[in-house]
Amino acid sequence: MNKDKKEKTITLVGGGVMSLTLATLINEILPNLQINILERLSACGLESSDALNNAGTGHAGYCELNYTPADKTGNINIDRALEINQNFEASLIFWAYLNKKYPFFNTKKFIKKTPHISFVSGGKNISFLKKRFALLKKQPLFKEMIFTENPKIIEKWSSLLIHGRAEQENIAATKIDHGTDVNFGELTKQLLRVLKKNKKFKLYLDSETEDIKQTEDHKFKITFKNLKAGNKNILSSDHIFLGTGGRAIAMLQKMRLVEAKGYAGFPISGRWLVCDKVNLTKQHNAKVYTQVMDGAPPMSIPHLDLRVINNKRLLLFGPFAGFNLKLLKFGTIWDFPGSIKANNILPMLLVLFKNLSLLVYLIKQSFMNHHLRINELKNFFPLASPSDWRLLNAGQRVQIIKNCPFVGSKLEFGTEVIYTKNKKLAALIGASPGASVSVASMANVFENFFSKKDYQRLKKIIPSIGIDLNKHPTTLKKIRTKTYQSLGLW
Ligand SMILES: Cc1cc2nc3c(=O)[nH]c(=O)nc-3n(C[C@H](O)[C@H](O)[C@H](O)COP(=O)(O)OP(=O)(O)OC[C@H]3O[C@@H](n4cnc5c(N)ncnc54)[C@H](O)[C@@H]3O)c2cc1C
């Protein structure tokens, strides 16, 4: 049965990259569906998806050492890196498809080839990187990775990393040339342009969703307020996607969904050091990640990145974590207190108790001054000068706290989708690897919302879905050659 004929409306709450991606997937396969997007701000993509609110790393597992953790005996698990790499491949394929189909969809404006480097110092970290490299190099997905312990070679990759560094310091690095920097804010805008071509698409700006109720005819009644005019409106919808970023858990709680019971969210704000000095930006042409600091959460792994936004080169270093009570950058200080409920206060307290090192880390980070931040930067760029760098607020991250059977409460660092039992409502929670895997995450929502036949049609557009590319090197080569050439990555 083609559900397109039966199901007429889908409403996406939140106008970030996730909702826009899901809406575009639907638009390609089921253009006759009524697609509504409700966004509380006066434009889409201004929260976490905006260019400098995130790091813009096309997460593919190339340089992020937290995706290949080592256990106590030193064994490295590469499964997460393989999974994220394949999921990012789905994003690249979909963007290349849109690039070919729509003349105004210009991937050059939001995706830039930027080498991904992992850079470490000291015997223990070098031995980890060597082992990681040996494992990854054997994988078809990672076969272009190179490793060196030679400072002269690393200097060619980025002179900032080497100049001023003690000669006797042991260092090592790996590099993949076809890494990417992605401006997810620009991507969001371009997806919106695709959607606006469809007469059945409707965007409601300045429209904050206040309440969602399931009705007896198995639909949803959505109440939203126009924040400019002050009046309330109602929409009826067959499906709902909550792409409300940091507010997703709070919204699910408000709906009293059993599926959201025991979930909580803990806000962690982010800040970058930013530099636009041309003499420095031209010396660094990569995204360089290192090991996470002791006690820090995995998403706080420090990195020094070249960003190119609106043709302007910038260096970005961080993230520095902090604590404030907002669940969204443009939220209020009542967000977090309002999300504490009888069913999640215990998991939250248990998690804080189990992760005291995280708490200490957050307190230390919150009290850092400019001088201390520059000292951190000097681990990457020994000659960094405080006057070249300024502090910028990034987006707000909400760390998921989950009550798991047998394990108890724990912090989750992934990107997760919660569904209602009838699979008519889906909500995205969590941050990393986030926007990079938006296409794979949203294809999964598509599969749950629509018929098998429709999902098969989607797979024709994104042929990597459902295939383990690492186990099919010939297919991988074929797909990568076509996609990467069209995106200018090869
Ligand atoms: C510091 C930082 C660094 C990051 N780095 C990376 C990176 O390098 N690579 C990567 O892939 N990802 C990264 N991420 C994650 C990435 O930014 C997110 O995964 C992605 O932007 C999430 O998109 P979204 O659409 O779910 O949320 P958002 O972009 O936050 O959009 C949510 C939208 O919902 C709206 N909204 C909320 N409540 C309501 C309501 N009640 N009614 C109507 N609208 C509402 C908000 O106004 C907002 O526009 C990073 C995130 C942060 C914070």
Side-chain angles (χ1 to χ4, degrees):
M1 176 184 65
N2 186 351
K3 288 190 187 173
D4 190 12
K5 293 207 176 87
K6 221 175 139 210
E7 320 258 25
K8 296 285 182 243
T9 308
I10 173 155
T11 302
L12 302 100
V13 185
V17 69
M18 292 294 180
S19 288
L20 272 287
T21 299
L22 177 59
T24 313
L25 293 175
I26 297 169
N27 181 62
E28 291 306 304
I29 306 299
L30 302 163
N32 293 324
L33 229 73
Q34 172 66 44
I35 304 173
N36 304 317
I37 291 187
L38 296 170
E39 168 54 52
R40 66 190 284 271
L41 300 177
S42 40
C44 287
L46 297 182
E47 276 286 343
S48 291
S49 304
D50 203 14
L52 281 170
N53 282 346
N54 60 73
T57 303
H59 287 305
Y62 295 139
C63 56
E64 309 86 343
L65 301 177
N66 55 319
Y67 295 152
T68 48
D71 64 17
K72 280 184 188 135
T73 60
N75 286 326
I76 297 176
N77 186 339
I78 61 167
D79 292 351
R80 189 135 192 258
L82 293 177
E83 186 194 342
I84 289 169
N85 190 285
Q86 308 217 38
N87 285 341
F88 185 58
E89 210 67 33
S91 294
L92 294 176
I93 294 168
F94 186 56
W95 300 337
Y97 158 85
L98 295 174
N99 197 36
K100 193 169 171 206
K101 180 166 175 186
Y102 299 98
F104 55 84
F105 193 88
N106 184 356
T107 48
K108 288 200 171 61
K109 279 183 94 177
F110 67 83
I111 180 163
K112 299 260 177 323
K113 179 177 171 175
T114 310
H116 281 193
I117 293 175
S118 306
F119 174 72
V120 296
S121 72
K124 192 175 151 212
N125 291 335
I126 294 177
S127 119
F128 165 80
L129 192 69
K130 238 185 212 167
K131 249 188 186 173
R132 177 187 190 265
F133 168 72
L135 285 171
L136 289 179
K137 181 77 185 165
K138 283 190 233 148
Q139 313 303 320
L141 288 167
F142 289 77
K143 80 178 172 49
E144 289 85 7
M145 186 176 267
I146 48 177
F147 172 87
T148 185
E149 287 178 81
N150 184 342
K152 293 233 154 57
I153 295 179
I154 301 177
E155 186 181 8
K156 280 192 193 141
W157 296 353
S158 164
S159 53
L160 295 188
L161 297 176
I162 301 300
H163 293 171
R165 193 172 290 277
E167 263 177 41
Q168 65 273 23
E169 188 178 344
N170 291 327
I171 51 175
T174 56
K175 178 167 82 123
I176 280 217
D177 273 326
H178 56 77
T180 52
D181 179 61
V182 185
N183 179 341
F184 292 107
E186 175 61 30
L187 165 65
T188 307
K189 280 187 203 147
Q190 295 209 23
L191 293 173
L192 186 58
R193 274 202 237 150
V194 172
L195 289 166
K196 281 185 170 169
K197 291 269 153 205
N198 183 343
K199 288 202 170 65
K200 297 211 88 178
F201 168 71
K202 188 132 197 240
L203 174 65
Y204 298 80
L205 292 173
D206 303 302
S207 299
E208 181 162 88
T209 299
E210 291 190 333
D211 192 32
I212 301 172
K213 286 216 161 56
Q214 299 197 52
T215 53
E216 276 173 13
D217 55 353
H218 304 291
K219 291 192 175 214
F220 293 95
K221 182 179 146 196
I222 307 155
T223 309
F224 64 99
K225 183 176 179 180
N226 184 306
L227 298 177
K228 278 206 167 142
N231 58 310
K232 293 201 182 188
N233 296 289
I234 286 172
L235 272 178
S236 166
S237 191
D238 300 284
H239 281 293
I240 293 208
F241 173 69
L242 290 182
T244 47
R247 281 226 181 127
I249 293 174
M251 288 209 65
L252 291 170
Q253 285 170 341
K254 203 169 173 202
M255 289 180 70
R256 294 177 192 277
L257 283 186
V258 274
E259 291 81 357
K261 235 179 170 179
Y263 277 90
F266 185 76
I268 298 181
S269 61
R271 280 181 284 191
W272 310 116
L273 281 178
V274 177
C275 163
D276 56 8
K277 295 275 175 312
V278 178
N279 61 326
L280 297 179
T281 59
K282 71 180 180 204
Q283 292 183 63
H284 189 75
N285 193 27
K287 284 180 170 277
V288 182
Y289 278 61
T290 192
Q291 287 285 43
V292 71
M293 282 172 262
D294 279 347
M299 44 66 167
S300 293
I301 200 160
H303 47 100
L304 176 63
D305 291 9
L306 170 72
R307 306 288 317 268
V308 183
I309 295 163
N310 299 330
N311 291 322
K312 195 172 170 198
R313 287 169 77 94
L314 287 175
L315 294 181
L316 182 141
F317 177 70
F320 295 95
F323 176 73
N324 72 40
L325 296 168
K326 295 176 181 182
L327 295 176
L328 292 171
K329 189 171 179 175
F330 299 103
T332 77
I333 55 161
W334 305 113
D335 285 353
F336 180 56
S339 73
I340 301 173
K341 306 280 170 212
N343 69 40
N344 67 15
I345 189 156
L346 196 64
M348 224 184 270
L349 289 173
L350 280 174
V351 159
L352 277 186
F353 185 68
K354 278 193 210 163
N355 294 274
L356 283 178
S357 59
L358 170 65
L359 204 63
V360 173
Y361 166 82
L362 282 179
I363 293 168
K364 274 194 194 157
Q365 290 263 306
S366 305
F367 286 102
M368 261 184 156
N369 59 23
H370 193 58
H371 179 73
L372 288 173
R373 288 192 195 101
I374 295 291
N375 276 352
E376 295 264 330
L377 169 62
K378 283 184 176 172
N379 292 326
F380 283 80
F381 172 23
L383 298 180
S385 156
S387 58
D388 289 334
W389 298 80
R390 68 192 154 90
L391 197 66
L392 196 89
N393 284 334
Q396 193 74 352
R397 274 196 236 238
V398 175
Q399 221 46 63
I400 313 167
I401 295 172
K402 193 174 168 182
N403 213 353
C404 302
F406 311 116
V407 185
S409 309
K410 64 177 193 128
L411 269 182
E412 286 285 318
F413 293 105
T415 307
E416 191 179 325
V417 181
I418 300 182
Y419 293 94
T420 50
K421 222 178 196 164
N422 63 7
K423 297 273 167 71
K424 294 210 161 210
L425 179 143
L428 183 110
I429 55 173
S432 182
S436 301
V437 299
S438 51
V439 172
S441 300
M442 293 304 104
N444 185 271
V445 174
F446 186 100
E447 182 184 13
N448 279 292
F449 275 2
F450 304 109
S451 70
K452 276 195 178 136
K453 205 169 128 202
D454 293 330
Y455 187 55
Q456 291 309 323
R457 287 164 61 210
L458 183 68
K459 278 163 93 176
K460 287 208 171 111
I461 293 179
I462 312 165
S464 71
I465 292 180
I467 300 175
D468 184 346
L469 289 175
N470 206 39
K471 292 200 175 121
H472 295 90
T474 320
T475 314
L476 170 68
K477 194 171 172 205
K478 213 169 116 193
I479 288 181
R480 276 202 170 163
T481 307
K482 189 173 160 212
T483 307
Y484 286 27
Q485 280 176 356
S486 106
L487 296 174
L489 303 180
W490 265 357

